[in-house]
């Protein structure tokens, strides 16, 4: 009989076993904070993220590349870029002698500003050997004198940011990239009687999906001169009701005015969108804030500061 067993039998002392310590349970991970969605805008007072101005002074045009997190803009005749991955948010001059109007960027970064209804406009080809090319908007090729003057001005553009551009050739898109809203062709909408003014009658009632929502953007006006222009209403198929996509307001059985048909940019969450001078939030009704002082170009997924 072992000593421990004798102790138990003869004296009633307790048998003690070596304790086994269980690893403490891991604490549940705290819920991740929602990613901020900050509207980017430009105007006479500069560039801003939300309410924070990151570049003061008048900005004439801007374009946002959400994948590469690059904010391109013109101030006077100079094209700049701000890398929002840079904590200092330094504005880097890229090209001088830029003409007024639209511009675009292709290659490592993809962005454009005011090119749809432009004539000929400059394109920054962003790659191992950066250069300036030209593109054509809706008014390109209509007036020969205008195009000749535009080509001359584009040829005079001087690249001054080549070192910065070539250093960024291996730049990778943000991970995860912000999802892109879709505007695909949708079933035609039968407009209320008396609604719709279209030179091409078949255009009125044509519709597209409206980003991640169940709504449709529906053509209510169409006219052509030197170029063609359309106006659209926002349509709720289940309720068969309309509102103005740029001004918002309560839903009604008939469209009250119209907004632009293109250029809507949704926040990654899909709960808000912007276009031109409007920022809109989708709730029971569409609520829009409009200001002539700022032009909205996109959404930044991060802190404004």
């Amino acid at each position: 009989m072992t000593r421990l067993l004798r102790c138990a039998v003869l004296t009633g002392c307790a048998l003690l076993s070596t304790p086994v310590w269980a690893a403490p349970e891991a604490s549940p991970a705290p819920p991740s904070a929602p990613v901020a969605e900050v509207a980017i805008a430009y105007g006479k007072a500069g560039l801003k993220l939300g309410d924070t101005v990151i570049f003061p002074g008048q900005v004439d045009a801007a374009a946002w590349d959400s994948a590469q997190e690059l904010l391109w803009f013109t101030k006077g005749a100079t094209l700049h870029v701000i890398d929002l991955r840079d904590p200092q948010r330094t504005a880097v001059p890229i090209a001088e002698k830029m003409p007024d109007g639209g511009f675009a960027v292709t290659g490592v970064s993809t962005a454009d500003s005011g090119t749809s209804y432009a004539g000929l406009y400059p394109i920054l080809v962003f790659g191992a050997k950066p250069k300036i090319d030209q593109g054509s908007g809706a008014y390109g090729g209509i007036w020969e004198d205008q195009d000749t003057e535009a080509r001359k001005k584009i040829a005079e553009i001087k690249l001054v940011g080549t070192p910065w551009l070539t250093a960024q050739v291996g730049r990778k898109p943000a991970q995860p990239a912000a999802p892109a809203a879709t505007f695909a062709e949708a079933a035609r909408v039968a407009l209320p009687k008396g609604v719709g003014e279209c030179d091409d009658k078949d255009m009125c009632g044509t519709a597209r999906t409206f980003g991640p929502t169940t709504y449709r953007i529906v053509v209510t006006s169409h006219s052509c001169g030197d170029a063609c222009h359309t106006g659209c209403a926002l349509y709720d198929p289940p309720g068969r009701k309309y509102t103005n996509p740029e001004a918002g307001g309560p839903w009604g059985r008939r469209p009250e005015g119209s907004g632009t048909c293109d250029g809507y940019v949704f926040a990654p969450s899909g709960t808000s969108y912007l276009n031109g001078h409007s920022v809109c939030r989708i709730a029971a009704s569409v609520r829009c804030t409009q200001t002539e002082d700022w032009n909205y170009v996109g959404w930044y997924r991060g802190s404004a500061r």
Side-chain angles (χ1 to χ4, degrees), residues 110-207:
T110 302
D112 72 88
S113 174
T115 60
S116 295
Y117 286 96
L120 301 185
Y121 60 86
I123 300 174
L124 169 64
V125 181
F126 184 176
K129 295 182 178 180
K131 65 177 183 177
I132 298 293
D133 205 343
Q134 73 175 33
S136 179
Y139 286 98
I142 296 177
W143 299 289
E144 185 176 346
D145 290 348
Q146 177 179 287
D147 289 350
T148 299
E149 183 65 18
R151 290 189 189 95
K152 179 181 177 182
K153 290 182 177 180
I154 292 171
E156 292 173 349
I157 295 173
K158 181 181 179 182
L159 278 176
V160 295
T162 299
W164 186 91
L165 293 169
T166 54
Q168 298 293 322
V169 167
R171 187 182 181 94
K172 302 298 182 184
Q175 295 295 332
T182 57
F183 299 87
E185 184 177 348
R188 174 180 288 275
V189 173
L191 297 174
K193 186 176 180 180
V195 172
E197 297 181 6
C198 293
D199 290 352
D200 179 350
K201 301 300 183 184
D202 290 337
M203 286 292 297
C204 278
T206 56

Side-chain angles (χ1 to χ4, degrees), residues 116 183 208 210 260-266 273-276 296-297:
S116 295
F183 299 87
R208 286 178 295 158
F210 193 63
T260 182
C261 295
D262 302 295
Y264 296 95
V265 182
F266 276 84
Y273 65 88
L274 52 81
N275 194 334
Y296 294 93
V297 296

Side-chain angles (χ1 to χ4, degrees), residues 239-263:
R240 297 183 180 181
K241 294 181 179 181
Y242 301 83
T243 191
N244 188 311
E246 287 187 88
W251 296 94
R253 292 296 179 185
R254 297 172 69 85
E256 296 295 334
S258 64
T260 182
C261 295
D262 302 295

Side-chain angles (χ1 to χ4, degrees), residues 18-193:
T18 303
V20 177
W21 298 101
E25 292 185 7
S27 299
S32 57
V35 176
E37 299 177 339
V38 182
I40 305 170
Y42 73 92
K44 292 181 179 179
L47 281 171
K48 69 174 184 174
L49 302 182
D51 294 325
T52 302
V53 174
I54 62 171
F55 185 88
Q58 178 161 337
V59 169
D60 302 298
W64 169 237
D65 180 349
S66 61
Q68 292 288 10
E69 297 172 304
L70 294 173
L71 182 53
W72 302 89
F73 66 98
T74 54
K75 179 179 176 63
T78 302
L79 173 68
H80 298 77
V81 65
I82 294 178
D83 181 357
L84 291 190
R85 298 178 191 174
D86 171 14
Q88 303 303 315
R89 292 175 176 167
T90 303
V92 180
I94 297 297
E96 296 177 345
K97 297 186 177 181
M98 291 283 290
D100 294 337
F103 71 86
V105 182
T106 62
V108 174
S109 178
T110 302
D112 72 88
S113 174
T115 60
S116 295
Y117 286 96
L120 301 185
Y121 60 86
I123 300 174
L124 169 64
V125 181
F126 184 176
K129 295 182 178 180
K131 65 177 183 177
I132 298 293
D133 205 343
Q134 73 175 33
S136 179
Y139 286 98
I142 296 177
W143 299 289
E144 185 176 346
D145 290 348
Q146 177 179 287
D147 289 350
T148 299
E149 183 65 18
R151 290 189 189 95
K152 179 181 177 182
K153 290 182 177 180
I154 292 171
E156 292 173 349
I157 295 173
K158 181 181 179 182
L159 278 176
V160 295
T162 299
W164 186 91
L165 293 169
T166 54
Q168 298 293 322
V169 167
R171 187 182 181 94
K172 302 298 182 184
Q175 295 295 332
T182 57
F183 299 87
E185 184 177 348
R188 174 180 288 275
V189 173
L191 297 174
K193 186 176 180 180

